[in-house]
Amino acid sequence: MKILSSFLGLFSVLIAYGLFKIDIPYILSMILAIIFSIPLINFFKNLYIFKLTHNIGDILNYQCDPKKYIEKNSELLENRILKNRIEYYFFLLNIAVGYFSLGNNDKAILTAHKIPEKKIKENFYFNVAYNYNLGIFYSSKENWQMGKIFLENLKDIYTNLKNSPKNKNGNFILSYTDNNKKYEYVPEIKLKEIEIMIEEIEILLGKENNRFQEAIEFYEKKFKIQNTTYGRCFSKYYLAFAYEELNDFDKMKESLKFVAENGNALHIAEIARDILKNYSNFT
């Protein structure tokens, strides 16, 4: 391909010289200017996208405002620069997570399924995020069969990463044959992160078999390592219902109180407030 491009470039120079009698040094300088300007254009394009999207995650992660989060991500989908870039599909998945946070699980699943399968597998980080979130969506909906499908997908990603070669910096090297990006480098720490994701989906699927003590152990541990308000609220929410199943109502109310006070506009915060209100009326 590079040889073909070189021949085409040389051919273009000869045509320009033959037809328009333009000096070859001038033509070559113009070609070089164009070649060297491409990386600069890409740099400024990436900088523009970074500034456009910077801190958008804070709207959900710390402000816990899913409606605003959906609105901001929907606006970004209208930006023509993002079309067909992986960022576009990240924003579409963000919208799905926003609907899930509003308690609209069906719309979350429908939105996520708009993403083409080919795009999901083009990027390691997106592939992980997609399968993790779909596993959460379906498990929360108690669709055990579909939840297990996305759990297995996540396990396959983990196994593939673990068995991949490493470079001298200790990063895994993932190779691709069906898109323009040939290699992707992934730090080893991502293995641990995926292990936690796998364990969480297994815990949620464990509701099918009443594995509530395991859920308590997992979410107590996850709450301590979470650094986002969103993540901490969901940990406490799942803890509340696990404690309820084990008849520990004091810890259930304590967990719900955290969600009610910190969850702002999350659907789970509204549920927590309603339950606590009913408890106070009852007592």
Side-chain angles (χ1 to χ4, degrees), residues 232-242 255-256 259 268 271-272:
R232 289 165 71 84
C233 281
F234 267 93
S235 291
K236 283 293 186 182
Y237 180 75
Y238 290 131
L239 275 169
F241 287 96
S255 298
L256 288 174
V259 180
I268 58 171
I271 293 173

Side-chain angles (χ1 to χ4, degrees), residues 117-144:
E117 187 175 350
K118 183 182 176 183
K119 290 294 179 183
I120 296 165
K121 295 180 178 179
E122 276 186 6
N123 180 279
F124 168 80
Y125 296 95
F126 187 70
N127 200 5
V128 171
Y130 180 86
N131 283 286
Y132 168 70
N133 280 293
L134 267 292
I136 295 291
F137 296 167
Y138 279 113
S139 300
S140 300
K141 192 178 166 65
E142 298 191 354
N143 186 331
W144 313 126

Side-chain angles (χ1 to χ4, degrees), residues 138-156:
Y138 279 113
S139 300
S140 300
K141 192 178 166 65
E142 298 191 354
N143 186 331
W144 313 126
Q145 185 177 358
M146 289 301 295
K148 287 171 185 174
I149 289 172
F150 288 99
L151 172 62
E152 289 306 312
N153 289 348
L154 206 53
K155 285 181 177 180
D156 288 343

Side-chain angles (χ1 to χ4, degrees), residues 4-269:
L4 179 60
S5 300
S6 300
F7 276 123
L8 288 174
L10 180 60
F11 190 56
S12 300
V13 171
L14 293 173
I15 289 174
Y17 178 72
L19 291 179
F20 306 108
K21 302 301 179 185
I22 302 173
D23 290 339
I24 289 179
Y26 178 78
I27 298 170
L28 291 174
S29 64
M30 290 298 295
I31 291 172
L32 287 172
I34 292 168
I35 290 170
F36 286 112
S37 68
I38 290 171
L40 197 60
I41 291 168
N42 288 332
F43 169 79
F44 282 112
K45 185 187 284 187
N46 290 332
L47 183 63
Y48 168 75
I49 292 169
F50 174 77
K51 287 189 174 181
L52 197 66
T53 61
H54 187 53
N55 291 335
I56 193 168
D58 290 356
I59 297 170
L60 190 64
N61 288 331
Y62 297 101
Q63 298 172 26
C64 295
D65 190 341
K67 286 184 180 178
K68 185 179 177 182
Y69 188 64
I70 291 169
E71 288 170 7
K72 290 293 183 183
N73 279 280
S74 297
E75 288 172 12
L76 288 168
L77 290 184
E78 300 301 316
N79 192 312
R80 286 185 295 178
I81 290 178
L82 298 173
K83 286 287 183 183
N84 295 319
R85 289 179 63 103
I86 193 63
E87 289 88 351
Y88 178 90
Y89 298 101
F90 265 111
F91 299 137
L92 194 54
L93 184 59
N94 287 348
I95 292 169
V97 174
Y99 284 125
F100 172 75
S101 305
L102 283 174
N104 194 337
N105 218 332
D106 290 333
K107 198 161 186 180
I109 290 168
L110 284 172
T111 302
H113 280 303
K114 290 178 182 178
I115 300 168
E117 187 175 350
K118 183 182 176 183
K119 290 294 179 183
I120 296 165
K121 295 180 178 179
E122 276 186 6
N123 180 279
F124 168 80
Y125 296 95
F126 187 70
N127 200 5
V128 171
Y130 180 86
N131 283 286
Y132 168 70
N133 280 293
L134 267 292
I136 295 291
F137 296 167
Y138 279 113
S139 300
S140 300
K141 192 178 166 65
E142 298 191 354
N143 186 331
W144 313 126
Q145 185 177 358
M146 289 301 295
K148 287 171 185 174
I149 289 172
F150 288 99
L151 172 62
E152 289 306 312
N153 289 348
L154 206 53
K155 285 181 177 180
D156 288 343
I157 294 168
Y158 176 85
T159 302
N160 182 48
L161 181 63
K162 192 173 183 180
N163 294 331
S164 296
K166 292 182 179 179
N167 63 13
K168 62 181 181 180
N169 296 322
N171 296 325
F172 291 106
I173 307 169
L174 298 179
S175 59
Y176 298 86
T177 56
D178 57 348
N179 60 41
N180 294 327
K181 182 176 59 178
K182 291 184 179 180
Y183 300 103
E184 195 168 11
Y185 302 98
V186 180
E188 191 172 2
I189 194 173
K190 290 298 171 185
L191 276 178
K192 184 61 181 176
E193 292 177 12
I194 301 173
E195 283 176 6
I196 294 170
M197 293 176 186
I198 289 170
E199 188 178 358
E200 181 168 16
I201 297 173
E202 286 177 336
I203 289 294
L204 290 174
L205 290 172
K207 286 168 62 182
E208 184 182 15
N209 301 311
N210 301 319
R211 291 162 53 188
F212 299 112
Q213 186 57 47
E214 289 179 47
I216 288 171
E217 291 170 7
F218 174 81
Y219 280 111
E220 287 285 11
K221 181 174 65 176
K222 188 176 181 185
F223 178 81
K224 290 176 183 176
I225 63 173
Q226 275 287 338
N227 58 6
T228 67
T229 309
Y230 176 88
R232 289 165 71 84
C233 281
F234 267 93
S235 291
K236 283 293 186 182
Y237 180 75
Y238 290 131
L239 275 169
F241 287 96
Y243 281 127
E244 182 185 30
E245 292 292 338
L246 298 181
N247 297 318
D248 193 337
F249 298 109
D250 287 338
K251 285 191 176 179
M252 181 200 80
K253 286 188 281 184
E254 179 188 317
S255 298
L256 288 174
K257 188 176 181 225
F258 180 92
V259 180
E261 291 176 353
N262 296 280
N264 190 21
L266 296 176
H267 180 62
I268 58 171

